[in-house]
Amino acid sequence: MRKAIYFDNRLGISSFLNNEILIEKPVDYEVLDYYTISKWLEQSDKDDILIFAQDIVPYTAYEITPFNNDSKLLNFIRRGGIVTWIGDVPFFYRLHCFSKEYKEKIERVKDLLKKQVAFTPTPEFYLQKFGPYDKGDQICVLDIIGGFYVDVDRENVNWLSLDYEHLGFFKLNEVCYLYSPSAVNKTLLGKLLQYESNASLRPIKYTTKILPLSLTTLSGVCKGKYAGSWIAQIGEGYFIRLYDVKEELNAHKVFEITEKIASTNI
């Protein structure tokens, strides 16, 4: 069983966990960055573990387009890999890095993005998040921001539907964006895994596609039953979503629960 954490300190635009996950990291976990995660995914096999300690997925692992949902990350899970996501909404942002030769092209495509987001309530949000970010010999952007997909190579800005099924099941329009955390109750599965959490800030609508570890019932715009933490089976593997409230985080439990699922293949 190979074990790894994705945490790129050089390209760390956003990190839910700061250094906590690295401080608590068991010695048999290697740390992957934007450049090394791709080969690791390709060479990994059933029951191998990958924990995302940053809430921005790298293009090198998740190379989807609006027209193709295949990716190294998806194939890794299908083969039996275990992925644990900690932090904010999975797949809301994606980091894509280029050589410095792309600088002018990136500026042109940012002008296109500016026109596309002009009708939104917060256009500056998208432009600020997009970048670019100067990272040594690379220049990076967030080429997926919610429903916007920026194709730097083709100099296009496309709409990535909020109904798009990331990893074949996860839809951004099923996530509830709360202003303050909602109290959750542990499910039987959560109790069996000895999961510790009392709140969720970005719960997902409870459907038969996920196995919830915690649940909450919401009213208002997000009406119905939502899962704060959950597991989705994809092929032979699992995608695990833990802890979206920083104050709730128990780094030790992240490793414990992930390894328990990998060893028992529930």
Side-chain angles (χ1 to χ4, degrees):
M1 179 189 294
R2 301 176 69 203
K3 305 173 186 179
I5 295 169
Y6 175 75
F7 186 96
D8 194 325
N9 194 46
R10 294 170 301 169
L11 302 176
I13 297 165
S14 172
S15 173
F16 172 78
L17 294 176
N18 299 320
N19 291 326
E20 292 177 60
I21 198 77
L22 298 181
I23 294 170
E24 295 292 331
K25 180 183 74 68
V27 295
D28 54 346
Y29 278 77
E30 60 182 301
V31 179
L32 305 174
D33 61 21
Y34 180 91
Y35 305 104
T36 58
I37 190 172
S38 179
K39 187 175 181 179
W40 189 93
L41 287 169
E42 291 174 346
Q43 295 179 342
S44 293
D45 207 344
K46 185 177 174 62
D47 297 332
D48 286 348
I49 289 172
L50 175 59
I51 295 174
F52 278 89
Q54 287 174 301
D55 55 10
I56 295 177
V57 67
Y59 171 84
T60 46
Y62 193 58
E63 66 275 28
I64 67 157
T65 73
F67 319 104
N68 176 28
N69 66 3
D70 201 14
S71 65
K72 294 180 180 68
L73 186 65
L74 176 58
N75 290 327
F76 166 70
I77 302 174
R78 281 174 173 165
R79 293 195 303 270
I82 313 296
V83 171
T84 295
W85 185 276
I86 313 159
D88 216 325
V89 181
F91 314 115
F92 191 90
Y93 297 118
R94 181 175 70 181
L95 182 73
H96 197 164
C97 295
F98 303 87
S99 68
K100 287 295 182 67
E101 297 171 355
Y102 274 75
K103 187 171 183 178
E104 290 185 5
K105 182 176 281 195
I106 287 172
E107 291 300 331
R108 289 196 297 270
V109 81
K110 186 169 184 176
D111 288 337
L112 291 175
L113 177 64
K114 186 175 182 178
K115 295 175 183 177
Q116 292 280 6
V117 301
F119 69 90
T120 67
T122 56
E124 287 304 317
F125 167 82
Y126 295 97
L127 296 173
Q128 181 182 2
K129 290 293 185 182
F130 174 76
Y133 303 90
D134 194 334
K135 300 295 177 180
D137 61 348
Q138 298 277 300
I139 184 168
C140 305
V141 299
L142 295 188
D143 70 341
I144 291 179
I145 307 172
F148 286 96
Y149 170 86
V150 183
D151 189 333
V152 173
D153 280 308
R154 294 179 175 82
E155 296 188 34
N156 287 324
V157 177
N158 301 295
W159 176 248
L160 185 64
S161 170
L162 296 179
D163 197 46
Y164 180 93
E165 292 189 336
H166 294 271
L167 299 184
F169 80 96
F170 183 83
K171 299 180 181 181
L172 291 178
N173 64 9
E174 292 182 340
V175 178
C176 184
Y177 290 77
L178 300 173
Y179 291 104
S180 58
S182 173
V184 297
N185 294 311
K186 289 186 286 291
T187 63
L188 176 59
L189 178 58
K191 292 176 181 177
L192 289 172
L193 290 172
Q194 297 181 310
Y195 179 59
E196 298 173 357
S197 178
N198 300 300
S200 176
L201 188 60
R202 302 287 185 257
I204 185 175
K205 194 171 183 63
Y206 176 39
T207 69
T208 56
K209 295 181 180 180
I210 60 175
L211 300 170
L213 303 183
S214 64
L215 287 170
T216 184
T217 300
L218 302 175
S219 57
V221 176
C222 301
K223 186 176 182 180
K225 192 170 288 188
Y226 283 74
S229 301
W230 40 269
I231 303 170
Q233 182 171 3
I234 304 168
E236 296 297 315
Y238 298 95
F239 184 90
I240 309 163
R241 194 264 195 276
L242 297 177
Y243 298 114
D244 63 344
V245 178
K246 189 168 185 176
E247 291 73 20
E248 290 275 301
L249 174 67
N250 183 330
H252 174 72
K253 282 293 180 182
V254 170
F255 297 106
E256 181 182 290
I257 290 172
T258 303
E259 294 190 16
K260 188 176 293 186
I261 293 170
S263 62
T264 60
N265 237 337
I266 62 173

